[in-house]
C-alpha cells in the first residue's frame, strides 16, 4: 500500500511538472524591442466567415510572427516583401493586438480568432481614421458563418476605442532637507531619508560622487541598488569633512512600457502591417540631488587644552591622533607646568649674585 502511495505521488509530481512546462510554453512572450526591419510571407487564405466574399490572405514574418494588414483598400503584399519600422501603434490598435490572436483566445478556434482580430484592426481604423476598409454590409447585414462573430469583432473595436495609452515609466525623488547633519556619535554627517516612488520599474540605483560616503537603507545596510518602496539616506564620514561642501546623489532606474510596432512596405502599393508581437521598450529614468554639508563644532580630530581627539571624537594619544587625522600636530607649551622651574632658576641666580657680592666686599675691605 505504501509503495502504491509513493508511486502515486511520483506520478502526480511528474504531471504537475508537465503542466508547469506547458504553461510556460503557451504563455505569450514579450520581445525586448521591436525589430527595425521584417520580411513577410503569405501563410494561407482565410475563409469568409462574414458574407460570401470577405475572405482574406493571412501573413506572418519569416520568423513566423503573425502580422495584420492595416489598409484593405490597398493590395496585400507578396511573399518576400520587406518592411521597415514605422511607429508604435496607438492605444486602441495596441489593445486589439494584446487582446486578439495569438496573444489571447477569443473563441478557442484559432482561425476564427485570427479572422476576428484582422477584421477588428480594419474596423477600428475605419472608426478612428475614416479609412473605409470594410463595407457597411460587412458591419451590419452580411451573414455570419457562426453566430456571434460580428459581435466579437465589435466588442474588440469598442473596447479598443476606450483604451488609454500605456503610461510611461516615472520616478519621483523627494527629501525634506538637503543639508546633512552630524550623527549623535559624531561619526557621520547624515541626510534625511530619501523617498523614491517608481511607476513601471521595480528597482533603482544610487551613485554618489564622494568616495567617503555611502547610501544605507532603514536597517542601516549599505547598498547601491534598492527595491521600489525602499528608502535610503546618505552617510558621509565626518573625519573627511573639513570645510563646507556639497555632494551629488544620482538616482537611476530603468522602466519598461509595452508597445506594438507598425511597419511600412518597401512597395507603397502594399498595405502597412502591424505586428502581433507585444514588445517591451526600456525607458531610462534619472534624478540628481545636491546635498550640502557644513562642519559642526565637535571634538573630531581636534587638539584642545593639551588633549587630542581622534576621528570618532574620543580622546586619544598624540600618535593615534596623527595616524587617524593625518595632520601635523603643533605642540603648545604648557606654561602652567613651567612656573616652578622659573622660580628655581630665579632663586639660583639670586644666590649666585649674593655670593659674588659678599666675596667682592670681603676682598675690598681686606685691601
Amino acid at each position: 500500500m505504501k509503495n502504491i502511495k509513493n508511486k502515486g505521488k511520483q506520478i502526480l509530481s511528474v504531471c504537475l511538472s508537465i503542466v508547469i512546462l506547458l504553461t510556460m510554453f503557451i504563455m505569450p512572450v514579450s520581445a525586448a524591442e521591436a525589430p527595425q526591419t521584417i520580411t513577410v510571407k503569405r501563410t494561407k487564405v482565410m475563409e469568409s466567415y462574414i458574407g460570401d466574399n470577405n475572405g482574406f490572405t493571412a501573413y506572418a514574418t519569416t520568423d513566423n510572427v503573425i502580422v495584420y494588414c492595416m489598409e484593405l483598400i490597398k493590395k496585400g503584399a507578396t511573399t518576400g516583401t520587406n518592411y521597415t519600422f514605422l511607429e508604435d501603434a496607438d492605444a486602441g490598435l495596441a489593445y486589439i493586438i494584446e487582446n486578439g490572436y495569438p496573444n489571447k483566445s477569443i473563441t478557442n478556434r484559432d482561425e476564427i480568432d485570427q479572422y476576428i482580430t484582422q477584421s477588428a484592426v480594419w474596423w477600428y481604423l475605419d472608426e478612428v481614421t475614416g479609412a473605409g476598409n470594410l463595407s457597411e454590409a460587412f458591419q451590419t447585414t452580411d451573414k455570419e458563418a457562426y453566430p456571434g462573430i460580428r459581435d466579437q469583432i465589435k466588442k474588440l473595436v469598442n473596447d479598443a476605442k476606450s483604451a488609454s495609452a500605456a503610461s510611461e515609466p516615472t520616478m519621483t525623488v523627494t527629501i525634506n532637507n538637503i543639508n546633512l547633519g552630524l550623527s549623535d556619535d559624531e561619526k557621520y554627517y547624515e541626510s534625511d531619508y530619501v523617498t523614491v516612488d517608481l511607476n513601471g520599474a521595480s528597482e533603482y540605483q544610487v551613485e554618489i560622487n564622494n568616495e567617503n560616503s555611502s547610501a544605507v537603507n532603514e536597517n542601516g545596510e549599505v547598498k547601491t541598488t534598492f527595491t521600489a518602496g525602499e528608502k535610503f539616506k546618505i552617510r558621509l564620514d565626518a573625519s573627511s569633512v573639513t570645510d563646507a561642501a556639497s555632494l551629488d546623489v544620482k538616482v537611476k532606474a530603468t522602466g519598461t512600457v509595452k508597445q506594438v510596432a507598425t511597419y511600412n512596405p518597401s512597395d507603397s502599393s502594399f498595405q502597412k502591417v502591424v505586428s502581433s508581437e507585444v514588445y517591451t521598450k526600456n525607458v531610462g529614468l534619472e534624478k540628481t540631488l545636491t546635498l550640502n554639508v557644513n562642519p559642526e563644532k565637535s571634538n573630531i580630530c581636534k587638539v584642545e587644552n593639551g588633549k587630542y581627539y581622534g576621528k570618532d571624537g574620543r580622546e586619544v594619544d598624540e600618535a593615534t591622533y596623527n595616524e587617524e587625522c593625518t595632520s601635523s600636530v603643533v605642540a603648545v607649551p604648557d606654561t602652567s607646568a613651567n612656573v616652578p622651574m622659573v622660580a628655581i632658576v630665579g632663586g639660583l641666580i639670586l644666590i649666585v649674585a649674593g655670593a659674588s657680592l659678599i666675596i667682592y666686599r670681603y676682598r675690598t675691605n681686606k685691601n
Side-chain angles (χ1 to χ4, degrees):
M1 187 68 177
K2 185 175 181 181
N3 289 334
I4 292 174
K5 288 183 177 179
N6 288 336
K7 288 181 179 179
K9 289 180 179 179
Q10 292 174 359
I11 293 171
L12 179 61
S13 176
V14 171
C15 289
L16 288 173
S17 298
I18 293 173
V19 169
I20 292 171
L21 287 172
L22 288 174
T23 303
M24 291 172 63
F25 281 114
I26 64 175
M27 288 177 63
V29 178
S30 295
E33 60 181 39
Q36 294 302 298
T37 60
I38 59 173
T39 302
V40 304
K41 62 182 179 181
R42 296 186 175 202
T43 58
K44 58 186 174 182
V45 176
M46 304 287 292
E47 181 182 337
S48 180
Y49 287 99
I50 295 180
D52 296 326
N53 299 303
N54 295 316
F56 57 82
T57 302
Y59 290 88
T61 68
T62 51
D63 295 326
N64 295 316
V65 175
I66 292 173
V67 297
Y68 290 105
C69 297
M70 298 172 62
E71 301 164 293
L72 187 54
I73 56 176
K74 291 186 176 182
K75 298 185 299 183
T78 56
T79 293
T81 300
N82 295 319
Y83 279 76
T84 56
F85 177 79
L86 174 60
E87 61 186 358
D88 295 338
D90 67 18
L93 193 54
Y95 178 89
I96 291 172
I97 295 302
E98 289 187 54
N99 292 277
Y101 181 82
N103 297 315
K104 298 282 180 67
S105 176
I106 302 171
T107 68
N108 292 321
R109 289 172 288 186
D110 289 353
E111 183 164 315
I112 294 178
D113 287 354
Q114 188 170 357
Y115 188 91
I116 290 171
T117 305
Q118 175 62 86
S119 300
V121 168
W122 283 322
W123 195 325
Y124 169 78
L125 292 173
D126 285 350
E127 293 276 345
V128 299
T129 69
N133 290 305
L134 299 172
S135 67
E136 183 178 350
F138 180 94
Q139 299 181 29
T140 57
T141 60
D142 278 348
K143 185 179 178 180
E144 301 169 90
Y146 299 99
I149 292 179
R150 184 182 286 111
D151 289 340
Q152 292 289 354
I153 298 171
K154 288 168 67 176
K155 182 180 186 309
L156 201 52
V157 171
N158 289 334
D159 289 345
K161 289 164 64 178
S162 301
S164 58
S167 58
E168 289 282 323
T170 59
M171 178 175 67
T172 304
V173 181
T174 55
I175 185 172
N176 291 329
N177 190 344
I178 61 171
N179 297 310
L180 277 64
L182 193 63
S183 61
D184 292 339
D185 59 10
E186 298 187 343
K187 291 183 179 181
Y188 306 102
Y189 282 95
E190 296 182 330
S191 72
D192 285 353
Y193 277 104
V194 180
T195 301
V196 179
D197 293 317
L198 295 172
N199 173 42
S202 59
E203 64 180 26
Y204 64 91
Q205 294 76 43
V206 176
E207 299 176 2
I208 316 168
N209 68 337
N210 188 305
E211 62 182 7
N212 297 306
S213 63
S214 58
V216 299
N217 64 11
E218 292 178 287
N219 295 323
E221 300 169 321
V222 176
K223 303 174 69 175
T224 56
T225 299
F226 298 81
T227 57
E230 193 175 13
K231 296 180 180 180
F232 74 92
K233 67 179 177 180
I234 300 300
R235 275 184 178 170
L236 177 61
D237 190 350
S239 63
S240 69
V241 179
T242 56
D243 300 302
S246 63
L247 62 160
D248 291 334
V249 180
K250 187 177 293 184
V251 183
K252 301 169 67 176
T254 301
T256 58
V257 62
K258 291 182 179 179
Q259 67 178 16
V260 172
T262 63
Y263 292 87
N264 252 337
S266 56
D267 183 339
S268 61
S269 68
F270 294 151
Q271 296 192 56
K272 298 174 184 175
V273 298
V274 57
S275 174
S276 66
E277 193 159 13
V278 180
Y279 302 94
T280 299
K281 180 174 67 176
N282 290 332
V283 179
L285 306 170
E286 185 174 308
K287 174 71 174 179
T288 300
L289 293 175
T290 299
L291 306 181
N292 303 318
V293 57
N294 290 290
E296 297 182 20
K297 181 175 176 57
S298 69
N299 287 330
I300 293 175
C301 287
K302 275 195 172 184
V303 179
E304 193 172 53
N305 297 327
K307 295 181 179 180
Y308 299 92
Y309 297 91
K311 65 180 182 180
D312 60 1
R314 291 179 296 184
E315 186 177 355
V316 295
D317 57 30
E318 183 179 355
T320 303
Y321 171 85
N322 288 332
E323 180 180 349
E324 291 185 355
C325 299
T326 62
S327 61
S328 301
V329 178
V330 179
V332 179
D334 190 339
T335 55
S336 61
N338 292 335
V339 170
M341 184 61 68
V342 172
I344 293 171
V345 171
L348 289 175
I349 292 173
L350 290 174
I351 292 172
V352 171
S356 299
L357 182 60
I358 293 170
I359 293 171
Y360 173 75
R361 288 180 175 177
Y362 172 78
R363 288 181 177 177
T364 301
N365 292 335
K366 185 176 182 181
N367 294 332

